[in-house]
Amino acid sequence: MKSTEPPTEFGEADRLQTRADGRFAPSPSGPLHLGSLRTALVAWLMARSQYARFLVRIEDLDPQRSRPEHERSQLADLRSLGIDWDEEPTHQSQRLRLYNDALGHLHGQGVLYPCFCTRTEIREAASAPHGALAEGAYPGTCRRIDAMTRRRRIESGERFALRVNARSAQVAWHDRLLGEQRGTVDDFVVVRADGVHAYHLAVVVDDAEQGIGEVVRGVDLAESTPRQILLQRLLGLAPVSYAHVPLVISAAGTRLAKRDRSATLADRDEPASVTLALLAHSIGLASVRDRVESPVELLPEFDLTRLANEPWVLS
Ligand SMILES: [Zn+2]
């Protein structure tokens, strides 16, 4: 078993990549399903195999969807699998000042503008063809409103979100699992019309403030990455390394949902060591064992490149 003591000397590679700290950042909106637990395990193995810190952050900015009881059950599930973390979990709902500081910074650069569009207007605008932007991207309708009209609409009490003028920035990055990636950034929301800070802003500010260097998360968030990289640049924050873990799909070929039986630990009703062996097997580890008592057992053979770059079918 590997020692968890930090190395006393750093080699060349360590000097180049000194920010190896990782995190798992669930939204407390329901029980964690096996796909999320698998991502948490990969993120934990990635951090611990580099003797780095591993943090848990509760992404509870949306008051409509966040519930303390879900947070409790999520943390209990992580613990039952032996996934531990350093420091108390942080809560985004208690970090609004940091996000407001970042907004001030963006405002000072003149890159924010109010968007008055309703959901229906955005849907209709986004379905029309518009050059380089991907389908579903916001075409910048409110960016073209003149200053006087903008002021009049704000003063009349119209609700608005704040968007970043991204100037259709082209962003490329190397993903540890997906390889070379690139994307065009549309004008994305940083504060919703209901005043809630948007995910992209909070996640970028938090990762930088918490010293996170390795972002391991579900592949469904890969399409958000160009926006977040642009935000890092605008805010003058250090870049992070990304690994987007493939989805888990049900035997029927659909994305894992809470209604799928055996999708959560509670549903599975089996020893944690059996679930852990299943998850380990799914990431190319523990091929012959049917029980893994602790994820520490997986550290010596952990190798991110053994993780298949295609969905894992949970049968
Ligand atoms: Zn708009």
Side-chain angles (χ1 to χ4, degrees):
M1 197 182 296
K2 243 183 198 175
S3 161
T4 49
E5 288 293 309
T8 49
E9 276 184 27
F10 290 95
E12 186 61 31
D14 295 304
R15 265 204 299 279
L16 291 172
Q17 179 61 54
T18 50
R19 297 176 71 232
D21 292 347
R23 46 68 159 189
F24 180 62
S27 300
S29 56
L32 292 174
H33 63 57
L34 243 54
S36 304
L37 291 168
R38 178 175 182 249
T39 300
L41 176 64
V42 175
W44 184 91
L45 288 166
M46 189 82 180
R48 296 307 197 205
S49 64
Q50 300 179 80
Y51 310 100
R53 291 187 312 154
F54 184 67
L55 305 180
V56 169
R57 182 170 73 228
I58 308 298
E59 299 201 327
D60 59 349
L61 279 180
D62 191 334
Q64 306 295 327
R65 299 178 64 231
S66 303
R67 295 278 179 277
E69 62 269 28
H70 292 314
E71 175 187 334
R72 279 193 295 275
S73 81
Q74 291 179 345
L75 295 178
D77 282 358
L78 293 175
R79 275 192 209 98
S80 77
L81 291 181
I83 295 173
D84 66 346
W85 53 89
D86 302 296
E87 305 172 10
E88 282 297 301
T90 46
H91 293 79
Q92 288 190 323
S93 60
Q94 290 164 23
R95 298 164 65 82
L96 304 187
R97 196 180 53 78
L98 289 171
Y99 312 142
N100 284 329
D101 287 351
L103 280 175
H105 198 83
L106 295 172
H107 187 72
Q109 293 179 64
V111 295
L112 300 182
Y113 67 85
C115 170
F116 306 96
C117 296
T118 61
R119 277 173 194 275
T120 316
E121 282 168 340
I122 291 171
R123 205 163 38 239
E124 283 168 2
S127 61
H130 38 260
L133 292 175
E135 204 187 317
Y138 179 72
T141 319
C142 294
R143 188 179 60 226
R144 291 183 280 273
I145 297 175
D146 65 83
M148 221 164 76
T149 311
R150 197 173 269 172
R151 200 172 327 119
R152 181 177 52 71
R153 291 179 72 170
I154 292 174
E155 283 167 3
S156 74
E158 229 181 296
R159 278 160 60 96
F160 60 90
L162 282 177
R163 287 185 188 269
V164 170
N165 180 0
R167 300 172 189 272
S168 301
Q170 303 283 322
V171 173
W173 82 96
H174 176 79
D175 192 286
R176 287 186 187 276
L177 285 166
L178 304 176
E180 300 309 316
Q181 298 289 302
R182 57 177 55 252
T184 305
V185 187
D186 67 338
D187 289 1
F188 57 94
V189 169
V190 282
V191 182
R192 301 185 336 198
D194 60 4
V196 173
H197 294 99
Y199 168 73
H200 304 298
L201 179 75
V203 78
V204 161
V205 169
D206 284 337
D207 284 339
E209 197 275 332
Q210 297 188 288
I212 301 300
E214 297 277 0
V215 171
V216 177
R217 60 188 181 186
V219 75
D220 50 327
L221 290 168
E223 64 175 15
S224 319
T225 307
R227 294 169 167 183
Q228 293 169 21
I229 291 173
L230 180 69
L231 267 182
Q232 282 161 5
R233 291 177 187 165
L234 289 170
L235 293 168
L237 304 173
V240 297
S241 164
Y242 293 97
H244 286 94
V245 178
L247 288 180
V248 179
I249 56 176
S250 71
T254 54
R255 211 178 131 167
L256 209 61
K258 280 161 201 156
R259 65 176 176 278
D260 288 309
R261 291 176 62 200
S262 73
T264 67
L265 286 192
D267 296 333
R268 296 190 70 80
D269 192 26
E270 65 190 9
S273 59
V274 173
T275 312
L276 203 50
L278 177 73
L279 294 177
H281 181 72
S282 83
I283 58 175
L285 305 174
S287 51
V288 289
R289 275 174 278 167
D290 56 5
R291 281 178 186 253
V292 175
E293 298 300 332
S294 160
V296 175
E297 289 172 36
L298 304 170
L299 282 172
E301 53 174 329
F302 174 66
D303 177 0
L304 192 70
T305 61
R306 279 157 84 171
L307 207 145
N309 201 3
E310 55 200 34
W312 173 47
V313 182
L314 179 66
S315 47

